[in-house]
Amino acid sequence: MSTEENIIKPSIPYTNPQDALFSGERWENLGSSAGGHTITGNRLLSDKNSSPWVLLLGGVHGNETEGVRFMEEFTREFVLEKETSPFPFNLYTLPLLNPDGFLSFERQNANSVDLNRNMSTKDWNADYTEERYRPGSKAQSEPETVILINLLNEIKPDYIISFHSWKPMINTNGPSQKFASLMTEKMDMIIADDIGYPTPGSLGTYAGLERQIPTITLEFERGIELDTVYPFARDAVLNSFNAL
Ligand SMILES: [Zn+2]
């Protein structure tokens, strides 16, 4: 284990992980994870025609419960029981891309692949320095990655936020600076266009750098009380929508 990893606290697991699994009416079945769990998403169309699309994504890393908690509470406030988007844009919510890892409280999916190293980017490669960064046998080898890429191709989002936890930062990829700046009006967090180590095969590279979609990887402080996550970041996320 690296020195850096030692100073990062582990996340607090959910006492009831089922809370974060949304299904039922208006939830789309996007397919199954490597471990056979259903991955669901929710689309809420705006009343306006030809509105932008926003994609909010949680649980790419199953043990980063802070990000899943944000998505869970956002979903409860703005998605459940809604017929149309409460915002002036179309909203796609995917609270938990990696149910395998979430239910087992591990970073990777059931194939032990890091889903944020498995996207079909130009810099994807099969090498890895640590087990937790295993990128898969080839780019897009994992069903979760295929689900996410299919979704990106379909809705063509104009803004993406993916919720993670590590050292707290707003990690920007693509033309996302103004979105990040608006976040910092409501939340004390640094903006960084470089997370500090290489992330080949990541969503930030795939969507942000290579397709110029404003993409923010919001890293909550790992190990903070889960009850504090949503109040901390809610207004910042809402404020960032004003950049659309
Ligand atoms: Zn992560």
Side-chain angles (χ1 to χ4, degrees), residues 60-64 107 114 116-117 163-166 195 197 217 219 222:
V60 172
H61 291 139
N63 61 342
E64 296 177 9
R107 177 181 177 89
D114 180 343
N116 209 29
R117 299 291 182 281
F163 296 91
H164 288 247
S165 64
W166 188 52
I195 199 162
Y197 53 87
T217 307
E219 299 278 2
R222 195 176 290 176

Side-chain angles (χ1 to χ4, degrees), residues 65-83:
T65 41
E66 296 82 6
V68 179
R69 181 60 174 264
F70 183 92
M71 284 299 296
E72 186 197 336
E73 294 199 39
F74 182 93
T75 297
R76 292 190 190 286
E77 182 172 0
F78 293 110
V79 176
L80 294 185
E81 327 244 330
K82 299 282 190 293
E83 300 279 348

Side-chain angles (χ1 to χ4, degrees), residues 17 45 55 67 70 98 107 116 128 133 163 170 208 220 224 232:
L45 299 180
L55 170 63
F70 183 92
N98 180 7
R107 177 181 177 89
N116 209 29
Y128 54 96
Y133 299 137
F163 296 91
I170 302 166
F220 293 116
I224 55 173
F232 174 70

Side-chain angles (χ1 to χ4, degrees), residues 11-198:
S11 297
I12 299 164
Y14 270 47
T15 45
N16 183 7
Q18 301 300 325
D19 290 349
L21 300 172
F22 291 102
S23 62
E25 201 184 350
R26 294 198 207 104
W27 285 85
E28 300 173 347
N29 180 346
L30 297 172
S32 291
S33 66
H37 296 105
T38 301
I39 297 168
T40 62
N42 186 297
R43 71 179 72 206
L44 288 176
L45 299 180
S46 160
D47 291 333
K48 295 185 190 167
N49 289 328
S50 68
S51 302
W53 272 101
V54 172
L55 170 63
L56 301 184
L57 177 65
V60 172
H61 291 139
N63 61 342
E64 296 177 9
T65 41
E66 296 82 6
V68 179
R69 181 60 174 264
F70 183 92
M71 284 299 296
E72 186 197 336
E73 294 199 39
F74 182 93
T75 297
R76 292 190 190 286
E77 182 172 0
F78 293 110
V79 176
L80 294 185
E81 327 244 330
K82 299 282 190 293
E83 300 279 348
T84 57
S85 172
F87 305 106
F89 51 79
N90 302 312
L91 175 66
Y92 203 99
T93 328
L94 206 174
L96 184 53
L97 183 66
N98 180 7
D100 299 352
F102 184 71
L103 293 168
S104 59
F105 195 52
E106 287 175 6
R107 177 181 177 89
Q108 294 118 318
N109 73 352
N111 291 338
S112 301
V113 172
D114 180 343
L115 299 179
N116 209 29
R117 299 291 182 281
N118 189 237
M119 301 288 282
S120 41
T121 57
K122 293 178 186 133
D123 66 354
W124 184 89
N125 68 74
D127 299 336
Y128 54 96
T129 52
E130 296 176 48
E131 278 299 315
R132 64 202 170 107
Y133 299 137
R134 278 171 54 125
S137 55
K138 59 179 185 181
Q140 227 174 301
S141 60
E142 301 310 299
E144 297 88 346
T145 311
V146 174
I147 284 169
L148 180 56
I149 287 177
N150 286 345
L151 183 66
L152 295 173
N153 287 336
E154 193 220 329
I155 67 172
K156 297 182 174 55
D158 301 279
Y159 176 36
I160 300 170
I161 313 176
S162 182
F163 296 91
H164 288 247
S165 64
W166 188 52
K167 288 192 251 182
M169 72 176 80
I170 302 166
N171 176 218
T172 55
N173 285 117
S176 49
Q177 198 63 34
K178 62 182 176 178
F179 296 88
S181 296
L182 286 167
M183 281 188 182
T184 60
E185 289 179 3
K186 304 284 185 182
M187 176 174 73
D188 184 19
M189 203 184 264
I190 61 159
I191 299 173
D193 62 5
D194 185 342
I195 199 162
Y197 53 87

